[in-house]
Amino acid sequence: MPVLLSDDRIARIPAIECGEPLVDLTDWGISTADRQFVREGLADRLAIADSFLPTGIRLHVVEGLRELKLQQEIYDGYRAELVRLNPGISPEEAHVLASRFVSPVEVAPHVAGAAVDLTLIGAHGPLDLGTPIDATPEQSNGACFFDATNISREARANRSLLADILSSAGLVNYPTEWWHWSFGDRYWAYTEQHPHAIYGPLAQNQIGQNHVL
């Protein structure tokens, strides 16, 4: 099992906010389902990664910044589902299981504008990455894990391509979700052995100040 976001080693890493602004990914030439916002440093790296892809293939971001309230709602809902599926599970076990798929709000990279959920698209739409984005471990029989073996050869090749270009641009993957990549958050700091995260969670009033809507 990989190190999860519920691990104390992640929570102990400090987040020293650098004050970098949020930006609209469409201004960086990144394909998105609608307007998605991330920190400027992450946007720069996504644009670099996008330029590494073969002709005809592009990154497509489904979600970037997420509000604190929504993050908590998603976590609470999934945790409640796990409790229903696993009668007698302890609160601590439910917390760990939930963190495979939804980050606890206190360390969540999406609420800092430090993470994206994304896929690859070609001329005819999304490429095969093995599961839909946001397929839970239960729904996908674990195929949502980046290194899952129960996916097609084509999906494995596409995941490898995704990892090659995003890792080269400085992003890190959360290993239980092939679609989740981040930069500047606590998980990035842990994985890359930095002393602290550079992006902390954004309050609602900060989000409003940063967005140009």
Side-chain angles (χ1 to χ4, degrees):
M1 175 65 71
V3 173
L4 298 175
L5 282 159
S6 57
D7 196 296
D8 285 343
R9 287 173 287 181
I10 307 301
R12 285 198 300 265
I13 295 173
I16 302 177
E17 174 58 51
C18 69
E20 197 173 276
L22 291 168
V23 297
D24 186 338
L25 280 175
T26 58
D27 293 335
W28 263 246
I30 302 297
S31 172
T32 62
D34 48 27
R35 297 184 74 187
Q36 296 295 331
F37 295 85
V38 300
R39 297 298 186 114
E40 188 173 35
L42 175 53
D44 287 340
R45 285 159 177 80
L46 288 170
I48 291 169
D50 201 40
S51 73
F52 292 158
L53 285 166
T55 301
I57 300 177
R58 300 202 57 201
L59 294 175
H60 180 74
V61 173
V62 173
E63 188 173 17
L65 178 70
R66 186 182 295 156
E67 294 182 7
L68 283 161
K69 180 181 178 183
L70 178 58
Q71 182 73 29
Q72 189 68 62
E73 289 173 354
I74 296 171
Y75 173 83
D76 290 344
Y78 183 54
R79 188 179 183 280
E81 177 184 341
L82 290 170
V83 170
R84 289 194 299 271
L85 292 172
N86 300 276
I89 192 173
S90 71
E92 293 78 15
E93 290 169 326
H95 179 63
V96 171
L97 279 179
S99 73
R100 297 172 306 162
F101 183 65
V102 186
S103 173
V105 69
E106 60 271 14
V107 295
H110 276 288
V111 303
V116 286
D117 295 340
L118 81 179
T119 189
L120 294 171
I121 57 172
H124 302 292
L127 303 189
D128 179 11
L129 274 297
T131 75
I133 287 178
D134 286 343
T136 68
E138 292 75 27
Q139 292 167 341
S140 67
N141 192 28
C144 60
F145 281 44
F146 186 88
D147 288 332
T149 58
N150 55 334
I151 60 175
S152 69
R153 183 176 298 180
E154 179 182 3
R156 169 53 50 206
N158 288 333
R159 288 189 187 186
S160 295
L161 174 61
L162 191 69
D164 286 346
I165 60 113
L166 291 172
S167 297
S168 295
L171 279 71
V172 300
N173 172 243
Y174 191 47
T176 60
E177 301 176 338
W178 63 260
W179 57 84
H180 179 101
W181 292 79
S182 66
F183 170 80
D185 63 307
R186 286 180 170 90
Y187 203 81
W188 163 84
Y190 173 81
T191 303
E192 298 296 299
Q193 299 183 329
H194 293 289
H196 61 83
I198 61 174
Y199 305 139
L202 294 165
Q204 180 59 47
N205 65 328
Q206 292 174 289
I207 293 172
Q209 291 165 5
N210 277 277
H211 283 198
V212 181
L213 297 176

